[in-house]
């Protein structure tokens, strides 16, 4: 509560004016603040943490010949590489730092590389690798590596879009939509790609995150991050050499 207390100060005289001192007690405000905090905590919807879904391998035993058939028909390998500016030396620390990313490169090939040796001209046999890039949709059409992944997972996307229409029309609720969409992504009777994501030492962290985002956008449930090997590097270097000619 606010209290006004008169105070007499100085010498008494005819022109003397009384001074008022105001004292405000903020104790009741503490209780009010606690009530407001409690109210907002109870009424506020907590943000759900979003995490990447990990598809665990099945426990069923699969014959080696069947494993090879699956890899040949459904596997697609994506290799990430970043074109950077020249390295520079930090004047304060004296350490050599990598230059900023100038452009992101995305290389891919379907199935297995199936490269055994080089021919007489030093060119790898049966180089399936192609180059693409990360591009968003334009005019409702997919582009770049998104189009390639979309076309490989077209049947799954079509079924999920049908579920989305039912969800928007309130024929099913959100929980039912998520459950049905999960079944579609994991349906072994539908042709689905297995995406293997690899990155070169120059690849940026942003490129890897963008690749994982493309998995979610295209409804791909089977993907993994693997190390780049000598065959992948040779295929990529040959493709770069062709572009320079």
């Amino acid at each position: 509560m606010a209290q006004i207390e008169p105070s007499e100060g100085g010498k008494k005289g005819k022109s003397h004016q009384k001074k008022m001192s105001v004292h405000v007690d903020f104790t009741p405000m503490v209780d009010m603040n606690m009530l407001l905090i409690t109210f907002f905590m109870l009424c506020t919807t907590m943000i759900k943490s979003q995490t990447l879904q990990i598809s665990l391998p099945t426990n069923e035993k699969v014959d080696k010949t069947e494993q090879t058939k699956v890899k040949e028909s459904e596997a697609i390998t994506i290799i990430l590489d970043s074109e950077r500016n020249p390295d520079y030396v930090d004047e304060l620390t004296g350490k050599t730092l990598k230059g900023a990313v100038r452009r992101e490169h995305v290389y891919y090939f379907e199935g297995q590389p199936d490269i055994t040796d080089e021919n007489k001209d030093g060119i790898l046999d049966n180089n399936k690798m192609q180059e693409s890039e990360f591009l968003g949709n334009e005019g409702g059409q997919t582009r770049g590596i998104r189009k390639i992944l979309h076309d490989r997972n077209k049947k799954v996307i079509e079924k999920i879009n049908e579920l989305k229409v039912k969800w928007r029309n309130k024929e099913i609720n959100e929980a039912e939509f998520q459950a049905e969409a999960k079944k579609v992504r994991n349906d072994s009777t539908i042709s689905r790609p297995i995406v293997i994501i690899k990155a070169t030492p120059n690849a940026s962290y942003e490129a890897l995150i963008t690749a994982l985002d493309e998995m979610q956008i295209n409804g791909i449930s089977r993907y993994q991050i693997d190390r780049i090997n000598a065959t992948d590097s040779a295929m990529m270097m040959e493709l770069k050499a062709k572009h320079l000619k």
Side-chain angles (χ1 to χ4, degrees), residues 105-221:
H105 294 273
V106 184
Y107 302 94
Y108 72 96
F109 62 89
E110 300 179 359
Q112 291 184 334
D114 193 21
I115 296 176
T116 55
D117 201 356
E118 296 180 355
N119 57 25
K120 296 180 181 179
D121 299 328
I123 301 175
L124 295 171
D125 295 329
N126 193 20
N127 190 354
K128 301 178 181 179
M129 185 169 288
Q130 301 180 56
E131 184 177 3
S132 184
E133 53 186 330
F134 292 120
L135 294 174
N137 297 348
E138 184 176 4
Q141 300 296 323
T142 55
R143 301 183 300 161
I145 193 67
R146 182 176 297 180
K147 175 175 173 54
I148 295 161
L149 296 174
H150 180 276
D151 293 343
R152 290 295 302 270
N153 205 36
K154 192 172 183 179
K155 292 182 179 179
V156 173
I157 294 174
E158 288 176 352
K159 289 184 175 294
I160 292 177
N161 287 337
E162 292 175 1
L163 292 174
K164 286 182 179 178
V165 173
K166 293 182 178 179
W167 181 28
R168 294 192 188 100
N169 295 336
K170 298 182 179 180
E171 297 178 16
I172 56 176
N173 56 34
E174 184 178 0
E176 292 174 337
F177 167 75
Q178 296 294 344
E180 292 297 326
K182 186 177 181 180
K183 289 181 182 179
V184 171
R185 295 189 187 99
N186 297 327
D187 190 353
S188 58
T189 61
I190 304 175
S191 177
R192 301 168 298 153
I194 301 175
V195 182
I196 303 170
I197 304 172
K198 300 183 179 182
T200 66
N202 289 329
S204 65
Y205 181 73
E206 182 181 358
L208 179 60
I209 296 301
T210 305
L212 294 177
D213 287 341
E214 292 296 336
M215 301 300 109
Q216 301 297 323
I217 292 171
N218 292 283
I220 296 176
S221 60

Side-chain angles (χ1 to χ4, degrees), residues 50-112:
Q50 297 180 355
T51 57
L52 294 175
Q53 296 181 355
I54 301 176
S55 300
L56 299 177
T58 179
N59 293 327
E60 299 178 359
K61 292 183 179 181
V62 182
D63 186 60
K64 290 184 178 180
T65 57
E66 291 297 325
Q67 291 179 357
T68 304
K69 289 180 181 178
V70 170
K71 291 179 181 178
E72 287 286 345
S73 61
E74 299 180 350
I76 176 171
T77 302
I78 297 176
I79 300 177
L80 309 175
D81 189 29
S82 300
E83 182 181 347
R84 297 177 177 271
N85 294 323
D87 297 346
Y88 63 96
V89 178
D90 189 356
E91 296 179 356
L92 296 176
T93 61
K95 295 181 179 180
T96 302
L97 303 176
K98 286 187 174 294
V101 175
R102 187 164 30 183
R103 182 186 174 189
E104 302 286 4
H105 294 273
V106 184
Y107 302 94
Y108 72 96
F109 62 89
E110 300 179 359
Q112 291 184 334

